Amino acid sequence: MQASNVASELRKLGSPALAKSQEWFYKTGPGEYGEGDKFLGIRVPVSRSVAKSFKDLPLAEIRELAMSEFHEERFCALVILVNRYKSSRDMEKREELFNLYLELLDLRKVNHWDLVDCSATHLGAQLLGREDVFEYLKTFADSGDLWKQRVSIIFTYALIRELELEPTFHIVEYLIDHEHDLIHKASGWMLREAGKKDLAALRRFLDAHAATMPRTMLRYAIEKMSREERDHWLSQKSKL
């Protein structure tokens, strides 16, 4: 089983018309955040189905597939990696998979919001119980790389599921002045997820930051609240 087998299967399923649409949706034009990315034109459920068919792809071949110029092939590689990670109970194998992910991140192969989100949401479980988790996340936040910065936030999703909420609040606060809306959206999303576990903790965060945080971040964070409470938090910004 080789990366070329996966690539061959995916390329049979591509649609040039859909690829053109995806290039627009994923902002691949000059100066845009997905500049230069290439698409085959495959919808996400189809890519996931292919990934499931190649669940036993060796690690070296996962890496090879992830090096592809085509977005869907990188996506498929990450889904295979994540599925392998989730199904393994061997801590050494999990560490190996996590380290491969970090290598791909360094190589800028995890280089779009959907690639980050389909992977970091699960692989953040590797940080559970770390006493230095915030300092570790800061290394990504301080990288100057948009995708690593998004990873620093999305990694906390796995922590939220296990009721470790403080890393989310800390890393969002650390990046609260970031200029990019992809960071604002990720931050608001994770705040909303933290609020599902502890609404009082989210309210304390909003008490401190609602008036000054980016509006998109705030809207994402309060999305599941009542209309009255959403209006209350949004009014804090209007008082500035």
Side-chain angles (χ1 to χ4, degrees):
M1 192 176 289
Q2 297 179 323
S4 58
N5 301 133
V6 189
S8 177
E9 185 66 23
L10 287 168
R11 294 180 196 197
K12 294 175 186 175
L13 300 168
S15 162
L18 180 57
K20 193 70 175 177
S21 175
Q22 288 173 324
E23 287 169 6
W24 171 83
F25 179 77
Y26 287 96
K27 308 295 184 186
T28 65
E32 295 182 309
Y33 57 74
E35 182 176 358
D37 205 354
K38 296 182 179 180
F39 286 80
L40 294 167
I42 304 171
R43 299 194 185 280
V44 167
V46 177
S47 294
R48 287 190 175 276
S49 178
V50 172
K52 188 175 181 179
S53 298
F54 289 92
K55 62 184 178 65
D56 295 322
L57 193 70
L59 257 61
E61 298 300 319
I62 294 175
R63 184 186 185 281
E64 182 67 23
L65 185 64
M67 300 300 289
S68 173
E69 63 179 336
F70 289 107
H71 190 99
E72 293 94 336
E73 292 178 12
R74 300 197 304 281
F75 178 86
C76 197
L78 291 170
V79 171
I80 295 170
L81 189 156
V82 165
N83 288 345
R84 187 82 52 79
Y85 181 90
K86 289 166 60 179
S87 65
S88 177
R89 294 296 174 264
D90 186 312
M91 294 300 104
E92 289 187 5
K93 289 182 179 178
R94 280 191 154 205
E95 184 74 17
E96 187 177 16
L97 290 160
F98 186 73
N99 287 337
L100 173 57
Y101 181 69
L102 297 182
E103 179 188 358
L104 295 174
L105 193 58
D106 282 341
L107 291 169
R108 293 187 59 81
K109 297 304 177 182
V110 187
N111 59 345
H112 216 294
W113 58 263
D114 64 319
L115 302 182
V116 170
D117 296 356
C118 79
S119 54
T121 46
H122 302 283
L123 297 173
Q126 199 66 16
L127 309 184
L128 285 167
R130 284 186 66 141
E131 294 184 1
D132 65 340
V133 62
F134 177 53
E135 292 302 318
Y136 183 79
L137 293 173
K138 276 177 61 178
T139 64
F140 296 90
D142 289 337
S143 67
D145 180 285
L146 176 63
W147 307 119
K148 287 186 177 182
Q149 290 169 333
R150 189 170 172 103
V151 163
S152 74
I153 300 163
I154 304 300
F155 263 161
T156 70
Y157 186 69
L159 307 181
I160 292 168
R161 289 200 300 264
E162 299 300 323
L163 301 181
E164 291 187 22
L165 307 183
E166 286 306 307
T168 298
F169 294 121
H170 287 323
I171 200 65
V172 169
E173 184 177 42
Y174 191 70
L175 287 168
I176 204 163
D177 294 323
H178 198 285
E179 71 282 359
H180 207 292
D181 72 335
L182 287 178
I183 300 302
H184 304 166
K185 291 174 181 177
S187 296
W189 174 21
M190 290 303 105
L191 288 174
R192 184 175 73 239
E193 294 302 318
K196 291 177 182 178
K197 302 296 186 182
D198 189 339
L199 185 55
L202 174 57
R203 286 171 173 155
R204 288 193 297 271
F205 185 90
L206 295 175
D207 275 332
H209 299 292
T212 56
M213 66 198 294
R215 196 170 188 86
T216 296
M217 186 187 301
L218 176 59
R219 284 190 176 278
Y220 271 58
I222 64 177
E223 186 177 36
K224 298 300 182 181
M225 294 180 175
S226 69
R227 175 64 181 271
E228 293 74 20
E229 187 163 8
R230 293 199 307 272
D231 288 345
H232 164 71
W233 294 117
L234 289 169
S235 73
Q236 304 306 301
K237 291 192 69 65
S238 66
K239 294 176 182 178
L240 289 178

